[in-house]
Amino acid sequence: MIPHVRGRVALQAHVEVPEGTCEEEYARGGFSGRYAHLYRTHAPVGWSRIEGPLKPRAFDLAKDAATSGDYLADRKVQLENGDVRIAFGRVTQPMGYFYKNADGDELLFVHAGTGTLESDFGPLAYRRGDYLVIPRGTAYRLVPSDHTALLVIETRGELGFPDRGLLGQHALFDPALIEVPTPSAEGMGSPSGLLPGSTLAAHNGEWEVRVKRLGELTHVFYPFCPLDVVGWKGTLSVQRLNVADIRPVMSERYHLPPSAHATFVSDGVIVCTFLPRALETGDPKAMKVPFYHSNIDFDEVLFYHRGQFFSREGIKPGMLTLHPQGIHHGPQPKAVGRTANVTHTDEVAVMLDTRNPLDATPAADAVERADYWKSWSK
Ligand SMILES: [Fe+2]
């Protein structure tokens, strides 16, 4: 496919955008399909009003700090569709039961806290910045050492890693860095009724596993601890990867698309990690901030973990934004000026692109920052 060129353009996308214009990337398939770069004389986010349901939205998940002390009750779904549910949860005390999700894989991102993830595969310590992959049907419980806050991503399809293509198999992290649990020689069960190194005792001689299937819980009771695995082998298990072990790729002369930061993929979902990295300082004509776009084939969700979010004024750690298909987003006008002398970003954020539109739940509505869609006019 040979691109057509009409009017004033930048022949190299994202570099030397014509004076007095801003660049929009209008593209199919999340920047991987057919595209057009549109050079506009106004930022497409410069609306004076929006009437109707389609708006960029922001939710302050950290605002709802209420906990009942129960993991499942406290992990509140914020956004969902048939492929993925995105929840935010808190764990303040060791769970008194094991949980098994038979509806999907779970990806837990540890926003705050440390502790242990006990599962069929053995215990695994977790800390801030960890991704914990829990395959569908694995029994587990969380034993926090301190107040733990989690972004919970539940996918209908199997979670895997993206094809690294020309980058090779050891970028952006070496797969050898992925940690898996080691079971203890006796398993985690114990005839005395107490798990070695753990606090989960039998309740009236029974251990409980709560199984979620089609959204409903079934309570299965055992007269022994069901985490009795003493050994395992194979290619499927709980996994841990810390964002500090991810080494983002960048170019000092070209603004790479978000897909360069993909960490996990599943059916209809891509999870990317934005990390501290050098900016495009090798060519003053290269753009340092993302181009405008209306991501017509994907809804786009960002969870802000820590740092300075230079392209988004007013965004704090613990916030979640939703930029739905069909309406533009991109840097706030002031962000372009703010980056002029900046050489590095210092931000950690988790992004999800979903092929199908997401619905916000009442839990998200309750913590919405209502005027977020106006934030580009400042
Ligand atoms: Fe975007």
Side-chain angles (χ1 to χ4, degrees), residues 31 258 290-291 293 295 300 323 329-330 351 353:
F31 310 126
F291 39 81
H293 53 282
N295 40 300
E300 193 178 302
H323 294 122
H329 68 276
M351 185 177 91
D353 275 357

Side-chain angles (χ1 to χ4, degrees), residues 19-354:
E19 186 72 32
T21 73
C22 58
E23 183 184 71
E24 173 186 350
E25 186 157 309
Y26 172 59
R28 305 304 306 259
F31 310 126
S32 62
R34 293 194 299 149
Y35 71 93
H37 291 110
L38 308 174
Y39 296 89
R40 298 182 178 275
T41 54
H42 298 89
V45 291
W47 39 65
S48 50
R49 315 193 270 126
I50 300 177
E51 293 178 358
L54 186 61
K55 290 185 179 79
R57 301 181 70 182
F59 309 96
D60 189 357
L61 304 187
K63 201 170 161 186
D64 180 9
T67 57
S68 67
D70 180 73
Y71 171 59
L72 291 180
D74 284 344
R75 59 179 232 180
K76 295 174 190 153
V77 175
Q78 309 286 327
L79 303 172
E80 60 183 342
N81 65 23
D83 300 321
V84 64
R85 283 199 182 91
I86 302 162
F88 191 69
R90 295 172 189 279
V91 200
T92 52
Q93 57 196 51
M95 290 164 63
Y97 53 87
F98 299 109
Y99 172 58
K100 186 188 284 195
N101 188 340
D103 284 332
D105 282 15
E106 291 192 358
L107 178 64
L108 311 184
F109 176 73
V110 182
H111 177 55
T114 54
T116 305
L117 165 64
E118 296 178 352
S119 76
D120 284 326
F121 294 90
L124 190 63
Y126 70 78
R127 65 184 166 97
R128 191 169 180 242
D130 274 348
Y131 281 116
L132 302 167
V133 180
I134 304 169
R136 177 195 290 239
T138 294
Y140 76 92
R141 75 170 189 135
L142 293 163
V143 183
S145 310
D146 52 19
H147 187 118
T148 294
L150 300 164
L151 185 73
V152 180
I153 299 161
E154 181 186 339
T155 61
R156 178 183 49 78
E158 191 173 339
L159 271 164
F161 298 109
D163 178 17
R164 293 151 195 255
L166 296 174
L167 288 172
Q169 55 186 318
H170 304 116
L172 294 50
F173 60 89
D174 193 318
L177 286 160
I178 296 168
E179 258 190 70
V180 298
T182 305
S184 68
E186 318 77 54
M188 297 185 75
S190 150
S192 69
L194 194 66
L195 297 176
S198 164
T199 53
L200 183 56
H203 300 291
N204 301 320
E206 290 181 319
W207 281 265
E208 180 185 355
V209 182
R210 296 186 187 173
V211 186
K212 181 165 84 76
R213 178 62 181 156
L214 300 176
E216 267 189 77
L217 286 181
T218 297
H219 304 251
V220 182
F221 296 90
Y222 291 90
F224 55 87
C225 176
L227 263 56
D228 57 354
V229 172
V230 294
W232 66 268
K233 60 189 271 294
T235 54
L236 178 66
S237 88
V238 164
Q239 297 173 315
R240 187 186 80 87
L241 173 70
N242 194 278
V243 293
D245 287 329
I246 302 175
R247 295 165 191 269
V249 291
M250 54 81 60
S251 159
E252 62 171 11
R253 298 180 61 218
Y254 177 70
H255 189 89
L256 293 170
S259 50
H261 305 284
T263 313
F264 299 96
V265 289
S266 185
D267 297 343
V269 189
I270 302 164
V271 180
C272 301
T273 314
F274 293 119
L275 292 161
R277 61 190 185 279
L279 285 176
E280 296 75 5
T281 52
D283 181 347
K285 294 170 185 156
M287 284 168 60
K288 287 181 177 173
V289 291
F291 39 81
Y292 291 101
H293 53 282
S294 57
N295 40 300
I296 41 183
D297 290 323
F298 283 86
D299 269 12
E300 193 178 302
V301 175
L302 259 174
F303 175 73
Y304 300 88
H305 172 52
R306 71 159 186 83
Q308 296 297 320
F309 307 105
F310 73 90
S311 67
R312 294 257 63 88
E313 201 173 321
I315 290 291
K316 296 180 300 190
M319 291 183 90
L320 186 83
T321 57
L322 168 63
H323 294 122
Q325 298 169 28
I327 193 148
H328 285 96
H329 68 276
Q332 291 164 328
K334 280 190 183 162
V336 181
R338 277 201 299 273
T339 59
N341 298 313
V342 176
T343 57
H344 289 78
T345 67
D346 181 27
E347 61 183 19
V348 179
V350 176
M351 185 177 91
L352 285 100
D353 275 357
T354 69

